[in-house]
Amino acid sequence: MAATLTQPGPGATRRRVKSALGRLGFYILLMIIVLYTVFPFYWAIVSSLRSGAGLFNTDLIPRNPAWSNYLAVFREQPFARNILNSLFVASSTVVLSLTLAVLASYALGRIQFRGRMLLLLTILGVSMFPQIAVLSGMFELVTYLGIYNNLLALTLSYMIFTLPFTVWVLTTFMRELPKEIEEAAIVDGAEPWTTVTKIFLPLMGPALATTGLLAFIAAWNEFLFALTFTLSTEMRTVPVAIALISGASAHELPWGNIMAASVIVTVPLLILVLIFQRRIVSGLTAGAVKS
């Protein structure tokens, strides 16, 4: 018998049209989101390659790129030293915050004791205070410790807003880890320190990457404490250094240099996101328990 060809019915045709329109709408929405998020950074790059009257042009591609703006950033102020300062402060803040947060999250997430929830809410409440509310108290503490105009003052002050966040997030993650893992470690005779460092810590990779990256970005971009607790140019971090870039007069700000400096300090953050993107999007407890 000869095979008969069947034509798709009107219902199948409508489903195909709806599917095609759905995909088209998704791609259009995706393009709008990408344009909305990427274009400001692209425009910053374009503006960093302009100088003088060229800053007021609206061309998407600069005709005569002013690469001298990037050289001027490092030539007119110790910007390389400022970058190293920001790198040291942000890295030390992340290391200390994650170290304390891992230990605190184990106690708050795995150990039952009276007042645990109140302590968690207190930690969360500390992060709700604006920086200006604790600025005077932190200034007195920094002055008393003798670390004014020192990078250690910034590391200490930044932990006010990074530590509560990391403790809260890691505690939530620690609670979700299967109890069978801890019970197996206890049966094998593991001490709490061994359980945290050898068992839980490897499983907390995605959570550590996410919280660490967010804490690094917050410390890298912080301005108020860095402006208050540093005095000399050599001790400033990049946000303060960029804000204090000045021109020949108060009415002639070198916007090309400012945008070039902004691009320079944004690149490390993009590199970190690209490095840790798989850790960030991976499953937090994938493969923790084998069936």
Side-chain angles (χ1 to χ4, degrees):
M1 296 178 62
T4 58
L5 298 177
T6 59
Q7 297 293 331
T13 302
R14 285 195 297 269
R15 286 193 295 270
R16 290 180 181 177
V17 172
K18 289 182 180 179
S19 178
L21 291 177
R23 288 195 298 269
L24 179 61
F26 171 76
Y27 288 127
I28 292 176
L29 179 61
L30 184 62
M31 290 178 60
I32 293 175
I33 294 175
V34 171
L35 182 64
Y36 178 78
T37 55
V38 174
F39 183 77
F41 182 66
Y42 172 76
W43 190 253
I45 297 176
V46 172
S47 300
S48 68
L49 297 176
R50 292 173 176 171
S51 61
L55 288 168
F56 302 97
N57 292 335
T58 57
D59 299 335
L60 295 178
I61 300 178
R63 297 181 180 180
N64 298 313
W67 298 103
S68 58
N69 291 336
Y70 287 87
L71 298 178
V73 170
F74 293 94
R75 184 174 59 248
E76 297 176 2
Q77 61 267 332
F79 198 69
R81 174 67 181 270
N82 300 142
I83 293 177
L84 292 178
N85 292 343
S86 291
L87 184 61
F88 171 80
V89 172
S91 300
S92 59
T93 301
V94 170
V95 171
L96 290 176
S97 297
L98 291 182
T99 301
L100 296 176
V102 168
L103 300 176
S105 64
Y106 177 76
L108 294 171
R110 312 297 292 194
I111 301 176
Q112 299 290 338
F113 60 90
R114 182 179 300 178
R116 183 181 61 168
M117 184 55 63
L118 178 61
L119 182 57
L120 268 175
L121 293 177
T122 303
I123 293 174
L124 182 62
V126 171
S127 63
M128 296 181 181
F129 286 94
Q131 289 180 278
I132 193 66
V134 298
L135 184 62
S136 59
M138 285 301 305
F139 184 82
E140 293 293 334
L141 178 61
V142 167
T143 305
Y144 175 78
L145 295 177
I147 54 176
Y148 180 75
N149 197 34
N150 192 303
L151 297 181
L152 295 179
L154 301 184
T155 301
L156 176 64
S157 59
Y158 289 177
M159 290 179 64
I160 289 181
F161 54 84
T162 59
L163 189 57
F165 164 75
T166 52
V167 168
W168 184 268
V169 173
L170 294 183
T171 299
T172 304
F173 173 82
M174 187 73 75
R175 286 177 175 175
E176 297 177 353
L177 291 177
K179 295 182 179 180
E180 292 80 2
I181 299 178
E182 186 176 9
E183 292 173 353
I186 294 175
V187 170
D188 292 338
E191 298 292 334
W193 175 258
T194 304
T195 303
V196 173
T197 57
K198 302 296 184 181
I199 306 299
F200 286 151
L201 196 59
L203 299 176
M204 298 175 68
L208 291 175
T210 303
T211 55
L213 181 59
L214 294 177
F216 186 92
I217 293 174
W220 182 271
N221 294 328
E222 201 282 327
F223 176 78
L224 182 59
F225 287 161
L227 177 64
T228 306
F229 300 145
T230 57
L231 183 62
S232 61
T233 305
E234 292 74 15
M235 287 296 172
R236 290 170 181 159
T237 56
V238 285
V240 179
I242 294 175
L244 296 181
I245 293 178
S246 59
S249 64
H251 303 284
E252 298 180 1
L253 288 177
W255 291 109
N257 294 6
I258 294 175
M259 298 309 297
S262 301
V263 171
I264 292 173
V265 301
T266 306
V267 169
L269 302 182
L270 295 178
I271 294 176
L272 284 177
V273 171
L274 293 177
I275 292 176
F276 293 104
Q277 61 177 340
R278 291 189 177 183
R279 303 282 287 180
I280 294 173
V281 301
S282 61
L284 294 181
T285 57
V289 177
K290 296 182 180 180
S291 56

